[in-house]
Amino acid sequence: MISDADISALWLSIQLSTFSTIILMIIGTPLAWWLSKSKFFLKPVIQTLISMPLVLPPTVLGFYLLIFLGQNGPLADITNFMGLGILAFSFSGLLIGSIIYSLPFVVQPIYSSFMANGNHSSDVAATLGASKLDRFFSIEVPMASPGFITAAILGFAHTLGEFGVVLMIGGNIPGKTKVLSIAIYDHVEAVEYASAHSLSAIMLTISFVLLMLVYFFNNKYSHFNYVN
Amino acid sequence: MSIKVKLKLVKNKFTLDVNFSIRENKITAIYGKSGSGKSTLLRCLNGLEPNTTGCFVCDDTIYQDENVFILPHKRQIATVFQDNNLFFHKSVMENLEYGYKRVSKADIKIKIKDIINDLQLENLLTKKPAMLSGGEQSQIAIARALLSSPKILLLDETLSSIDIKKRENIIKCILKVPQKHNITIVFISHNIQEVSQIADDLVLMDNGKIITYGKTAKIFANDDIYFAQSDETSVIIKTEVAKIDKKYAISYLGFSGGMFQVARTDLNMKQKIRLRIVAKDVSLATAYNNNTSILNIFKARVTNIKPAGLSQKLIKLKIADDEIFAKITNKSAGILSLKINKQVYVQIKSVALFD
């Protein structure tokens, strides 16, 4: 019931989600930290931009990415110059699309954790001799760890489930850009319901388990925000 | 050896503008109504308010002046805040180690082992802060602050959250700190009893400004200070144990005007004891009265008489070199025909003892 092509699509989805999550955590952490501390007057604009994928139809996002990264797009010259070639219809293109698409799901939980913890503990640590960087790693990040776990799981799960962006920017190239959600769509189109069922069940299970992990962690770490 | 503070901060329509000095390696209390800017002052001292202007200098260390602003983590000014002091993701032991690990070995003044023993913290070490009571959390926060071997320790109403039994133990420990480890302690309090018990010096604050500052006993004896008008009016008299009478279980405490008799036998000869005497516990008589249960009767001279409310007067008296207040009704003052320089006998009903 599950063909080699399906396995390859599943594997591609997992690879895409993994790389996206890693890159999102690296970009999202400083971004969320900056947002939680900054009083910059344009902060709401930046927050809006980050949150756009929450409301925008994925096809719109995918369409713009296709325009920008495609053959005649304004970014094509740059990616060509960097030796990356044309990113549309490539795994790198998918990765960029996924990162933008899942950014709010990663930034928001980390931002909320930083906000909930406030500056107090960091102030205490400062009077005990810890520098700013020291405080970030010894106090702020560990205290925000529930937010990080939620962010990583949501980022991973959300990328795993994306369809519209991937279809627009990646096309449907088996083994290269054909991810699980597209494979399911193809099976339905071809009236291969048994295969669609199997793959959908896999997606359902993975999504359920991942979301359940988020809620388990959230409940377990709720004491982190303990206030006297 | 003094620390000079002349700082100004305008924040959220509140202006803090202070100018005072405190003695190094002593315990200073900052006393004032809530909203008088005490906590803000502490935040200026430890460097957490970067918009503070002015200067803050301690001997050869400049924390702040026109050109310098030392960041909080380099000031060696540990602070115990009013609440939420502990790092909730770390165990008690990890909390204690936090500042300790960040001190260079040569600068370590207090060892972890010693503080665990002194404050009896053995049973708490593996616990997470969320499992501790508020008082225990404050205790750990004080221990952790001391372990960062600071030059100055700031306590923001920390003692009031600790239950009486443990508080005595912590106070004993804190009283030793300045001399033993060269640490200046500045604490905020709104508890006169606490201030009279541990503060060498006192800074009185109101509305972001300093009303007065100096030695605690001197400020207590100043009848111009606003709390001279309150129920808390009291004086502090420094005494030394001179004699212990085992038969009656009474100790004699010597001071400039004679000996106080107190119902205690657990004191040591020559031990220095602070007495706090509240004005309303002092009564006056024009003649020596033998027929009374009051043991502490001294000859005194009236030095000042001030109205205290509608029906009372605050009488300031001198017993040899020490001063004392009595709060009596206007009627009694009339009957005794009190006047400045009149000789009277003060009868002291009760004293609070701080050993």
Side-chain angles (χ1 to χ4, degrees), chain A residues 38-105:
Chain A
S38 170
K39 290 183 177 122
F40 182 47
F41 78 107
L42 287 178
K43 190 170 109 173
V45 177
I46 295 163
Q47 284 175 305
T48 309
L49 281 174
I50 294 170
S51 303
M52 281 299 273
L54 290 174
V55 291
L56 215 56
T59 41
V60 173
L61 188 64
F63 172 68
Y64 280 121
L65 279 170
L66 191 62
I67 299 290
F68 276 99
L69 297 172
Q71 197 76 46
N72 301 315
L75 296 177
D77 289 342
I78 298 169
T79 53
N80 266 328
F81 176 77
M82 288 165 76
L84 299 170
I86 299 298
L87 294 183
F89 307 115
S90 72
F91 184 76
S92 307
L94 281 192
L95 202 55
I96 292 174
S98 303
I99 288 166
I100 296 172
Y101 183 51
S102 297
L103 191 62
F105 290 84

Side-chain angles (χ1 to χ4, degrees), chain B residues 289-311:
Chain B
N289 184 1
N290 278 323
N291 307 317
T292 171
S293 63
I294 294 173
L295 290 174
N296 296 308
I297 303 174
F298 304 100
K299 204 179 201 178
R301 181 171 58 84
V302 176
T303 55
N304 203 358
I305 301 172
K306 274 192 159 187
L310 277 177
S311 57

Side-chain angles (χ1 to χ4, degrees), chain A residues 120 124 126 130 134 138 143 226, chain B residues 73 83-84 88-89 98 102:
Chain A
H120 186 72
V124 174
D134 185 354
S138 66
M143 281 187 115
Y226 173 89
Chain B
H73 70 279
D83 45 33
N84 285 333
F88 278 77
H89 61 294
Y98 192 87
R102 285 162 175 80

Side-chain angles (χ1 to χ4, degrees), chain A residues 1 43 51 55 76 97 135 141 155 170 180 190:
Chain A
M1 265 203 301
K43 190 170 109 173
S51 303
V55 291
R135 262 133 60 195
V141 169
L180 199 64

Side-chain angles (χ1 to χ4, degrees), chain B residues 141-254:
Chain B
I142 293 172
R144 184 184 59 186
L146 285 170
L147 286 169
S148 71
S149 296
K151 281 187 178 159
I152 303 175
L153 172 65
L154 307 178
L155 304 172
D156 191 349
E157 290 193 28
T158 316
L159 297 172
S160 45
S161 67
I162 303 171
D163 63 78
I164 294 175
K165 223 173 162 190
K166 281 187 183 138
R167 186 159 55 190
E168 288 306 314
N169 190 25
I170 291 192
I171 286 176
K172 265 186 192 152
C173 177
I174 285 177
L175 282 171
K176 286 185 221 148
V177 164
Q179 298 306 321
K180 200 170 162 191
H181 304 294
N182 293 330
I183 297 175
T184 306
I185 296 181
V186 178
F187 77 102
I188 288 180
S189 180
H190 55 214
N191 180 339
I192 278 285
Q193 170 102 1
E194 204 172 271
V195 171
S196 54
Q197 185 172 7
I198 53 180
D200 298 305
D201 294 354
L202 180 58
V203 176
L204 286 183
M205 274 188 86
D206 191 32
N207 202 17
K209 293 191 170 55
I210 305 293
I211 298 171
T212 187
Y213 64 95
K215 290 186 178 168
T216 308
K218 236 180 184 171
I219 292 178
F220 269 61
N222 181 348
D223 48 11
D224 287 332
I225 301 303
Y226 70 102
F227 61 65
Q229 302 299 326
S230 76
D231 273 354
E232 298 282 5
T233 314
S234 57
V235 289
I236 296 163
I237 293 182
K238 289 181 180 167
T239 68
E240 195 181 284
V241 180
K243 199 170 118 189
I244 297 169
D245 180 348
K246 291 246 162 83
K247 188 180 159 204
Y248 286 116
I250 292 271
S251 294
Y252 289 78
L253 312 176

Side-chain angles (χ1 to χ4, degrees), chain A:
Chain A
M1 265 203 301
I2 297 179
S3 65
D4 283 353
D6 290 338
I7 302 266
S8 141
L10 175 64
W11 177 233
L12 192 66
S13 278
I14 291 172
Q15 274 182 303
L16 181 63
S17 299
T18 309
F19 283 122
S20 297
T21 309
I22 293 169
I23 296 171
L24 276 168
M25 294 302 282
I26 295 170
I27 301 172
T29 305
L31 193 58
W33 188 82
W34 178 79
L35 285 173
S36 73
K37 306 286 168 193
S38 170
K39 290 183 177 122
F40 182 47
F41 78 107
L42 287 178
K43 190 170 109 173
V45 177
I46 295 163
Q47 284 175 305
T48 309
L49 281 174
I50 294 170
S51 303
M52 281 299 273
L54 290 174
V55 291
L56 215 56
T59 41
V60 173
L61 188 64
F63 172 68
Y64 280 121
L65 279 170
L66 191 62
I67 299 290
F68 276 99
L69 297 172
Q71 197 76 46
N72 301 315
L75 296 177
D77 289 342
I78 298 169
T79 53
N80 266 328
F81 176 77
M82 288 165 76
L84 299 170
I86 299 298
L87 294 183
F89 307 115
S90 72
F91 184 76
S92 307
L94 281 192
L95 202 55
I96 292 174
S98 303
I99 288 166
I100 296 172
Y101 183 51
S102 297
L103 191 62
F105 290 84
V106 171
V107 171
Q108 194 56 43
I110 303 177
Y111 168 76
S112 302
S113 276
F114 281 143
M115 286 301 279
N117 291 331
N119 293 328
H120 186 72
S121 292
S122 180
D123 285 351
V124 174
T127 73
L128 293 170
S131 69
K132 209 169 185 176
L133 196 67
D134 185 354
R135 262 133 60 195
F136 180 73
F137 286 109
S138 66
I139 302 295
E140 301 198 38
V141 169
M143 281 187 115
S145 62
F148 281 98
I149 292 164
T150 306
I153 296 175
L154 283 184
F156 188 91
H158 192 245
T159 309
L160 200 64
E162 71 179 286
F163 179 78
V165 177
V166 174
L167 194 67
M168 296 296 275
I169 182 85
N172 187 357
I173 307 167
K176 205 171 158 199
T177 61
K178 184 176 181 171
V179 295
L180 199 64
S181 55
I182 295 175
I184 295 171
Y185 182 74
D186 278 356
H187 282 310
V188 175
E189 284 273 275
V191 207
E192 294 160 358
Y193 274 52
S195 302
H197 263 305
S198 314
L199 293 187
S200 296
I202 291 173
M203 280 293 264
L204 191 74
T205 314
I206 295 176
S207 305
F208 179 79
V209 170
L210 288 178
L211 277 181
M212 197 171 65
L213 282 176
V214 169
Y215 286 107
F216 266 117
F217 274 116
N218 277 347
N219 289 333
K220 191 182 166 201
Y221 285 99
S222 58
H223 73 269
F224 264 70
N225 296 331
Y226 173 89
V227 176
N228 265 344

Side-chain angles (χ1 to χ4, degrees), chain B residues 1-220:
Chain B
M1 299 282 267
S2 74
I3 300 172
K4 290 185 175 61
V5 183
K6 188 175 189 304
L7 294 172
K8 192 172 178 181
L9 173 73
V10 181
K11 193 183 176 186
N12 303 332
K13 292 182 184 167
F14 179 80
T15 304
L16 180 90
D17 191 355
V18 295
N19 187 356
F20 64 98
S21 65
I22 53 180
R23 288 184 293 162
E24 234 182 304
N25 302 335
K26 295 281 177 195
I27 301 178
T28 300
I30 299 179
Y31 183 89
K33 288 181 230 162
S34 63
S36 58
K38 306 181 298 275
S39 296
T40 309
L41 173 59
L42 286 203
R43 285 182 65 85
C44 294
L45 294 178
N46 60 26
L48 289 172
E49 293 295 344
N51 296 326
T52 312
T53 55
C55 65
F56 172 24
V57 185
C58 164
D59 281 336
D60 50 346
T61 313
I62 299 170
Y63 295 105
Q64 175 171 2
D65 65 12
E66 291 135 46
N67 310 311
V68 180
F69 186 92
I70 306 282
L71 289 172
H73 70 279
K74 288 189 175 155
R75 290 197 178 197
Q76 291 179 282
I77 301 181
T79 310
V80 181
F81 295 88
Q82 271 186 50
D83 45 33
N84 285 333
N85 281 289
L86 299 186
F87 304 135
F88 278 77
H89 61 294
K90 293 179 184 290
S91 70
V92 167
M93 188 61 184
E94 287 167 333
N95 266 283
L96 290 177
E97 286 170 342
Y98 192 87
Y100 188 75
K101 280 184 176 168
R102 285 162 175 80
V103 184
S104 65
K105 274 202 175 142
D107 290 340
I108 287 179
K109 295 176 179 174
I110 305 170
K111 294 217 165 96
I112 291 191
K113 256 197 222 159
D114 297 338
I115 210 126
I116 290 173
N117 285 336
D118 284 355
L119 296 180
Q120 297 150 13
L121 306 174
E122 293 87 355
N123 301 328
L124 306 178
L125 298 178
T126 55
K127 289 187 178 172
K128 279 274 162 88
M131 296 157 74
L132 307 181
S133 70
E136 284 170 330
Q137 288 181 24
S138 303
Q139 217 179 341
I140 302 296
I142 293 172
R144 184 184 59 186
L146 285 170
L147 286 169
S148 71
S149 296
K151 281 187 178 159
I152 303 175
L153 172 65
L154 307 178
L155 304 172
D156 191 349
E157 290 193 28
T158 316
L159 297 172
S160 45
S161 67
I162 303 171
D163 63 78
I164 294 175
K165 223 173 162 190
K166 281 187 183 138
R167 186 159 55 190
E168 288 306 314
N169 190 25
I170 291 192
I171 286 176
K172 265 186 192 152
C173 177
I174 285 177
L175 282 171
K176 286 185 221 148
V177 164
Q179 298 306 321
K180 200 170 162 191
H181 304 294
N182 293 330
I183 297 175
T184 306
I185 296 181
V186 178
F187 77 102
I188 288 180
S189 180
H190 55 214
N191 180 339
I192 278 285
Q193 170 102 1
E194 204 172 271
V195 171
S196 54
Q197 185 172 7
I198 53 180
D200 298 305
D201 294 354
L202 180 58
V203 176
L204 286 183
M205 274 188 86
D206 191 32
N207 202 17
K209 293 191 170 55
I210 305 293
I211 298 171
T212 187
Y213 64 95
K215 290 186 178 168
T216 308
K218 236 180 184 171
I219 292 178
F220 269 61

